Amino acid sequence: MGGPFADIDDTLFANKDALSEEYQPDTILERNDEIDQFRNALTDVLFGRNPKNVFLYGKAGVGKTAVTKYMLDALQDEVATREEADELYVHNHNCNGDSAFAAVRALVNQLYPDDDREFPKRGLGLSDAFAELYQEMDRIGGTHLIVLDEIDHLDDANDVLYELPRARANGHLDEARVGVIGISNNYSFRQRLSAKVKDSLMEHEISFSTYDATELCTILEDRATLALIDDAYEPAVIAKCAAHAAKDSGSARQAIDLLRAGAEVAEEGGDGTVTEAHIERGRDRAQRGRLRDKIEEQTMHGQLVLEAIARLEADGETPVRSKRAMDVYQTVATEYGEEPLTTLKSIQNHLSDLSMLGFLVKTERNDGRAGGIYFEYELSLEPDIVFDVRADAA
Ligand SMILES: Nc1ncnc2c1ncn2[C@@H]1O[C@H](COP(=O)(O)OP(=O)(O)O)[C@@H](O)[C@H]1O
Ligand SMILES: [Mg+2]
């Protein structure tokens, strides 16, 4: 007798990693213009000149990180073959959730030759961290390109972006040259920067538009060939994932996620070919997962109000007014052994919040002189999803 895994001997995946978040593609497709602009911005490095600062922006999943990695790898290969070029050092940092100090400190730690050495977390300030960064860069010499990804998450980006690009002009660096590559998921981040910063960082801006269905097909086709075994999917599957992703977000990440989810559904069902139906089921499952998380994030009373509307919806009683919702909510709360909220206003507040979050649809009614203006509510998702989450929580 084998163990629980013994009978699994077949897989649709040839290289599942190629569908994972960390995978870096060897080839970048459908981004020739952006690659061209990037190339121009980085050319100075080949001749040992000061690098330009580059700013990339575009929505999530449109290839900013992948293209940057691809370009800097290629630049590093090229620099190695050129006499005129200085040594090139690329430092990557994701700014998600960072302060300026944490970001500069992380860069300093990357530059220290010895892995055990760390810049102190406490006691020193941003200017100390910068001084240390410059000292380390000068010690190493050469050209340093600093990639600050998701820089819109940095709460005090101005401080970093004002300092770094000017380090050499301001006499902080003698040996080393420095260039900053900033990447942002939203363009409005630009408006938060001071005019002085815009002047220097925005020397070279590259905008990444969302992908259309045709472009997503090209990217997916390539990825599917790598990731799945031969004949593992119906050709229509690619178009299906591309169409959904193009309509929702224009994100290659979403398109790739859809393909992976569909292939997982097929594999779990023991099916030898991924079909459009598998993609739909995978998508449905992912959507349910997201909804589930969102429901679980709500306060206890918020969830009880939501369950009340779900019960009314399942009984065909919706749309309902807040008074009726409150009656059912009180029953639900009592069933769970919770003390119900007692004012209609508090229930109306929960109903409004749930509508704003997209769980409910709120409709204004006007009964003229007789009833005046009031609101009615109905559920905008399947009641079963709410019941499932609530059953698990109980
Ligand atoms: N033009 C492209 N060619 C090949 N793969 C791409 C392309 N654009 C995006 N991808 C892939 O899509 C996913 C999301 O891209 P990523 O660079 O992380 O997006 P962003 O940084 O803009 O959020 C990654 O798996 C990436 O490899
Ligand atoms: Mg990215």
Side-chain angles (χ1 to χ4, degrees):
M1 280 291 288
F5 300 105
D7 64 339
I8 302 178
D9 54 9
D10 212 8
T11 178
L12 291 171
F13 296 102
N15 176 13
K16 196 173 178 184
D17 284 346
L19 299 176
S20 76
E21 180 68 38
E22 305 81 45
Y23 181 78
Q24 173 63 30
D26 293 336
T27 39
I28 298 290
L29 301 156
E30 304 284 359
R31 282 298 186 210
N32 292 341
D33 285 352
E34 292 78 2
I35 288 175
D36 241 24
Q37 293 178 47
F38 219 143
R39 211 168 86 99
N40 291 336
L42 295 175
T43 303
D44 286 324
V45 174
L46 295 178
F47 303 99
R49 303 179 199 132
N50 283 334
K52 287 205 175 74
N53 302 301
V54 190
F55 181 60
L56 277 65
Y57 62 90
K59 297 230 168 78
V62 297
K64 301 180 300 298
T65 302
V67 169
T68 302
K69 175 91 178 41
Y70 170 80
M71 290 305 289
L72 293 180
D73 286 352
L75 183 65
Q76 226 147 8
D77 289 347
E78 186 63 34
V79 159
T81 70
R82 302 237 181 180
E83 283 285 313
E84 287 165 283
D86 292 331
E87 287 285 327
L88 175 64
Y89 303 90
V90 175
H91 313 289
N92 284 289
H93 183 67
N94 188 301
C95 302
N96 205 342
D98 268 2
S99 63
F101 175 77
V104 178
R105 176 178 178 268
L107 291 169
V108 170
N109 288 341
Q110 282 187 36
L111 291 175
Y112 281 150
D114 142 22
D115 283 348
D116 292 341
R117 188 156 162 216
E118 275 205 356
F119 190 79
K121 259 199 182 111
R122 273 171 262 286
L124 297 172
L126 183 61
S127 55
D128 304 305
F130 269 122
E132 188 77 356
L133 182 69
Y134 299 144
Q135 192 180 320
E136 284 302 302
M137 286 203 287
D138 259 351
R139 179 182 61 75
I140 297 167
T143 298
H144 296 255
L145 288 177
I146 298 183
V147 181
L148 297 170
D149 205 346
E150 309 200 10
I151 197 167
D152 42 318
H153 291 276
L154 204 64
D155 45 17
D156 35 13
N158 272 310
D159 296 343
V160 179
L161 295 180
Y162 185 65
E163 262 288 321
L164 263 183
R166 286 180 185 71
R168 199 172 159 99
N170 290 345
H172 297 307
L173 291 175
D174 297 319
E175 301 299 326
R177 298 177 192 278
V178 62
V180 176
I181 298 172
I183 306 179
S184 168
N185 277 336
N186 69 53
Y187 190 64
S188 63
F189 165 75
R190 202 178 178 286
Q191 267 74 58
R192 300 210 310 263
L193 296 173
S194 74
K196 289 184 295 191
V197 169
K198 277 184 215 159
D199 283 351
S200 57
L201 182 69
M202 315 303 167
E203 277 181 322
H204 221 105
E205 282 190 3
I206 308 176
S207 132
F208 283 64
S209 55
T210 51
Y211 292 115
D212 64 24
T214 314
E215 292 166 331
L216 289 173
C217 273
T218 314
I219 294 170
L220 267 185
E221 190 72 63
D222 179 64
R223 207 57 79 88
T225 312
L226 283 171
L228 299 169
I229 59 173
D230 287 348
D231 302 323
Y233 58 98
E234 288 180 350
V237 156
I238 302 294
K240 185 102 213 160
C241 297
H244 277 311
K247 192 154 163 281
D248 279 2
S249 61
S251 147
R253 181 175 299 121
Q254 189 191 5
I256 293 168
D257 285 349
L258 282 167
L259 180 63
R260 190 188 49 243
E264 281 173 349
V265 169
E267 183 161 274
E268 280 166 28
D271 298 330
T273 316
V274 188
T275 63
E276 289 178 78
H278 293 128
I279 301 295
E280 290 303 339
R281 237 177 298 151
R283 180 166 184 257
D284 193 53
R285 191 196 274 179
Q287 271 172 345
R288 278 177 173 256
R290 275 194 298 277
L291 272 174
R292 186 172 261 283
D293 294 346
K294 241 173 93 184
I295 294 171
E296 281 168 357
E297 279 167 19
Q298 303 310 307
T299 62
M300 190 222 355
H301 289 293
Q303 289 192 35
L304 293 170
V305 172
L306 186 62
E307 182 169 345
I309 302 289
R311 288 190 192 186
L312 287 160
E313 182 92 14
D315 291 343
E317 270 198 60
T318 49
V320 288
R321 296 179 64 162
S322 53
K323 180 68 185 66
R324 176 79 184 120
M326 175 153 171
D327 290 343
V328 177
Y329 152 80
Q330 290 185 329
T331 311
V332 176
T334 312
E335 274 177 30
Y336 282 101
E338 301 292 348
E339 191 69 36
L341 301 170
T342 51
T343 63
L344 186 60
K345 186 73 207 145
S346 59
I347 301 308
Q348 285 168 341
N349 287 342
H350 276 298
L351 289 167
S352 280
D353 289 349
L354 292 169
S355 307
M356 215 124 72
L357 290 165
F359 291 120
L360 307 180
V361 180
K362 175 176 175 176
T363 316
E364 189 178 292
R365 303 261 179 232
N366 191 344
D367 280 357
R369 218 175 284 165
I373 292 174
Y374 60 92
F375 293 105
E376 282 187 337
Y377 301 88
E378 58 199 306
L379 200 67
S380 72
L381 44 139
E382 306 263 331
D384 276 349
I385 298 178
V386 179
F387 299 143
D388 282 355
V389 176
R390 297 292 303 151
D392 286 353

